[in-house]
């Protein structure tokens, strides 16, 4: 067996803290959400579908988190560049359609390094972003 350590990433405890903070914000604004946290490799670490959140948004929340870690940016930052007249139009079709190029995905950063990401879906894109920001702030 090899010695050494795996790349540092978001812990299960941190993922739950991020989700709890995001869920609290979702409750505050009256919009149940699907909330996902992925690790540094884009693998699902934790997810919750709040009571009343859309079933169809489960995958979208996970994909927003994945997109955020894969491109090391907020998913909303990809909106303009992926529009039909944008320089990377069609990006949303990459990765088997797994990429989400609208707000609600935010990297989780510790000491200048991205450790994972949060993805939120079910509300408006503004609500998704607000809830994701609350979760990311708890990291």
């Amino acid at each position: 067996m090899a010695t050494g350590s795996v790349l540092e990433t978001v812990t299960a405890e941190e993922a739950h803290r991020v989700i709890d903070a995001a869920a609290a914000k979702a409750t505050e604004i009256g919009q149940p959400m699907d909330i996902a946290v992925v690790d540094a490799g884009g693998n699902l670490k934790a997810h919750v579908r709040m009571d009343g959140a859309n079933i169809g948004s489960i995958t979208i929340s996970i994909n927003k988190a994945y997109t955020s870690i894969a491109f090391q940016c907020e998913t909303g930052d990809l909106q303009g560049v992926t529009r039909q007249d944008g320089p990377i139009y069609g990006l949303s079709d990459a990765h088997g359609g797994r990429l989400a190029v609208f707000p609600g995905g935010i990297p989780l950063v510790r000491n200048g390094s991205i450790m994972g990401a949060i993805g939120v879906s079910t509300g408006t894109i503004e609500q998704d972003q607000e809830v994701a920001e609350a979760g990311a702030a708890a990291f």
Side-chain angles (χ1 to χ4, degrees), residues 65-96:
Y66 172 80
T67 302
S68 183
I69 194 72
F71 291 91
Q72 301 176 16
C73 68
E74 293 192 18
T75 54
D77 294 343
L78 297 169
Q79 263 189 316
V81 295
T82 59
R83 293 183 196 264
Q84 192 168 9
D85 60 347
I88 53 176
Y89 173 68
L91 178 70
S92 59
D93 294 329
H95 293 247

Side-chain angles (χ1 to χ4, degrees), residues 38 41-42 61-71 95 98-99 117:
V38 298
S61 67
I62 295 168
N63 288 351
K64 284 183 182 183
Y66 172 80
T67 302
S68 183
I69 194 72
F71 291 91
H95 293 247
R98 188 171 181 195
L99 301 181

